[in-house]
Amino acid sequence: QVQLVESGGGLVQAGGSLRLSCTASGRTFSTYAMGWFRQAPGKERDVVATITWRGGSTYYADSVKGRFTISRDSAKNTVYLQMNSLKPEDTAVYYCAAQRNGVANFGSWGQGTQVTVSS
């Protein structure tokens, strides 16, 4: 099992930036990919961005392409989400998740961090 701890959320004005961090501990050697998801009030949890742990291949939701950047520091077992040009519609609880090798789903989740973008 992998334990995930997020940090970096907060309140920011539209057009501003935030960087989220997620540090993994436990069985990190079995990690295939990590990702950021978000859930706004009354909506389903959606994927924001993902990154493979070894190759660094990335995926972004259309709504964040060109504004958000996912990256990882393997030595620190940490994944980051740099969020620029934030919009009020980016307001949500952001969750970090890990996907194990050979498993289709993201099975380990962090506790979530609130991001609020004011207009």
Side-chain angles (χ1 to χ4, degrees), residues 19-89:
R19 189 176 81 155
L20 305 182
S21 300
C22 173
T23 299
S25 61
R27 297 174 63 88
T28 57
F29 60 87
S30 65
T31 299
Y32 169 72
M34 294 186 70
W36 288 97
F37 296 72
R38 66 186 181 188
Q39 187 168 21
K43 296 188 176 181
E44 294 186 352
R45 187 177 300 185
D46 291 326
V47 61
V48 175
T50 65
I51 187 167
T52 58
W53 201 244
R54 294 193 181 278
S57 297
T58 58
Y59 164 85
Y60 294 95
D62 287 342
S63 58
V64 306
K65 281 181 181 177
R67 300 188 298 123
F68 291 11
T69 302
I70 189 170
S71 62
R72 86 258 191 257
D73 185 331
S74 299
K76 296 182 178 180
N77 286 331
T78 299
V79 63
Y80 304 97
L81 185 68
Q82 178 66 43
M83 305 185 293
N84 299 327
S85 301
L86 282 161
K87 305 175 181 180
E89 50 263 45

